[in-house]
């Protein structure tokens, strides 16, 4: 299904009654409404970044709900799509933090390939209806993923931006990990502490201090 170590780690979860119900509810939603991301991309984050490779989790809330944007990676938009405001604010902080060029693409696949798991807490959404799938059961599944990552014996970083993501901090109990909490990078809150918080350099300092390779967060077309 996912073609990496997540398949075995999540095998029991896939067999639980709630997940089977979730699957049927999601299929029904996609049959009846326009939903995002495309159904074959719902698990893109897990396919792109294996459990073993995960060094950083950036947790989003739910996918973009406008046409053509969502691609199954939190905060990321498909190639050629205009960069949404929250992602533009993330890039503004990125440039300020690590002094790289301003990205001109919103596709974060390059981060995922380096071990940044770009996971939304809710993995699907109806067109133009944010949080419309919050009661389908996705968060039981993604909370389990967070708990499995918490069990990792290699230090990693959990990035929780916004009130919804920060509620997950109670799942992260392993003292070897680093948790970065802050306000959401949306235009409504970014000026209340997101700008100037330097999350990207903080991530890489932690990784290097634990003898792990840093993430190249700069995004160049063609990577």
């Amino acid at each position: 299904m996912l073609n990496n170590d997540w398949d075995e780690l999540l095998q029991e979860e896939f067999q639980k009654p709630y997940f089977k119900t979730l699957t049927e509810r999601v299929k029904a939603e996609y049959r009846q409404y326009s939903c995002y991301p495309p159904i074959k991309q719902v698990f893109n984050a897990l396919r792109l970044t294996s459990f073993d490779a995960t060094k950083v989790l950036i947790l989003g809330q739910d996918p973009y709900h406008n046409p053509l944007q969502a691609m199954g990676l939190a905060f990321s938009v498909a190639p050629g799509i205009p960069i949404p405001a929250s992602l533009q604010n993330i890039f503004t902080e990125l440039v300020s933090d690590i002094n790289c060029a301003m990205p001109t693409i919103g596709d974060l696949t390059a981060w995922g390939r380096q071990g940044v798991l770009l996971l939304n807490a809710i993995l699907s959404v109806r067109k133009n209806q944010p949080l419309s799938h919050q009661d389908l059961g996705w968060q039981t599944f993604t909370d389990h993923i967070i708990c499995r990552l918490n069990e990792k014996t290699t230090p990693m970083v959990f990035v929780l931006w916004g009130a919804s993501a920060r509620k997950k901090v109670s799942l992260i109990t392993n003292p070897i990990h680093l948790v970065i909490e802050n306000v959401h990078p949306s235009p409504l809150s970014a000026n209340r502490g997101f700008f100037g918080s330097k999350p990207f350099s903080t991530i890489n300092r932690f990784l290097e201090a634990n003898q792990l390779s840093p993430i190249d967060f700069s995004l160049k077309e063609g990577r």
Side-chain angles (χ1 to χ4, degrees):
M1 182 180 179
L2 302 173
N3 299 317
N4 59 31
D5 54 8
W6 283 117
D7 281 324
E8 184 175 352
L9 286 166
L10 298 174
Q11 184 176 15
E12 288 186 19
E13 208 69 11
F14 291 146
Q15 300 304 316
K16 289 183 178 178
Y18 91 85
F19 191 86
K20 294 182 178 180
T21 300
L22 166 63
T23 299
E24 293 307 312
R25 287 175 173 173
V26 170
K27 287 179 179 177
E29 284 284 312
Y30 274 78
R31 282 194 299 266
Q32 189 170 357
Y33 305 98
S34 293
C35 296
Y36 305 121
I39 197 162
K40 291 184 178 179
Q41 296 180 7
V42 166
F43 294 107
N44 264 6
L46 297 172
R47 288 196 184 97
L48 179 62
T49 312
S50 70
F51 174 84
D52 186 62
T54 299
K55 296 188 283 189
V56 181
L57 169 68
I58 296 180
L59 185 66
Q61 185 167 262
D62 66 339
Y64 294 118
H65 54 85
N66 293 323
L68 303 178
Q69 289 183 315
M71 55 181 294
L73 306 178
F75 294 105
S76 183
V77 290
I81 300 300
I83 298 171
S86 291
L87 183 55
Q88 189 61 58
N89 286 339
I90 290 171
F91 286 166
T92 297
E93 177 59 22
L94 174 69
V95 171
S96 171
D97 185 4
I98 67 171
N99 196 31
C100 65
M102 176 63 74
T104 57
I105 56 170
D107 182 358
L108 305 180
T109 299
W111 292 4
R113 288 181 178 140
Q114 297 177 77
V116 181
L117 180 62
L118 297 158
L119 184 72
N120 282 312
I122 303 160
L123 297 186
S124 58
V125 69
R126 282 187 202 171
K127 178 181 179 180
N128 299 330
Q129 295 184 49
L131 296 177
S132 49
H133 286 181
Q134 65 178 335
D135 296 324
L136 297 186
W138 278 127
Q139 295 191 75
T140 302
F141 178 65
T142 54
D143 280 0
H144 177 76
I145 290 170
I146 295 169
C147 290
R148 293 307 300 257
L149 291 169
N150 177 62
E151 295 169 0
K152 280 181 74 101
T153 55
T154 304
M156 62 168 286
V157 184
F158 293 80
V159 180
L160 310 177
W161 289 328
S164 176
R166 295 172 83 169
K167 290 177 182 176
K168 308 297 184 182
V169 71
S170 62
L171 303 176
I172 307 162
T173 58
N174 190 334
I176 69 171
H177 302 314
L178 173 67
V179 178
I180 295 175
E181 292 186 71
N182 209 326
V183 297
H184 197 275
S186 78
L188 297 174
S189 55
N191 284 309
R192 301 203 303 265
F194 180 76
F195 291 133
S197 61
K198 301 186 180 302
F200 304 100
S201 59
T202 301
I203 289 167
N204 279 340
R205 278 198 306 272
F206 178 82
L207 294 177
E208 290 178 312
N210 286 282
Q211 290 75 53
L212 297 168
S213 57
I215 308 297
D216 179 2
F217 284 109
S218 64
L219 291 168
K220 305 176 184 69
E221 297 210 44
R223 283 184 59 197

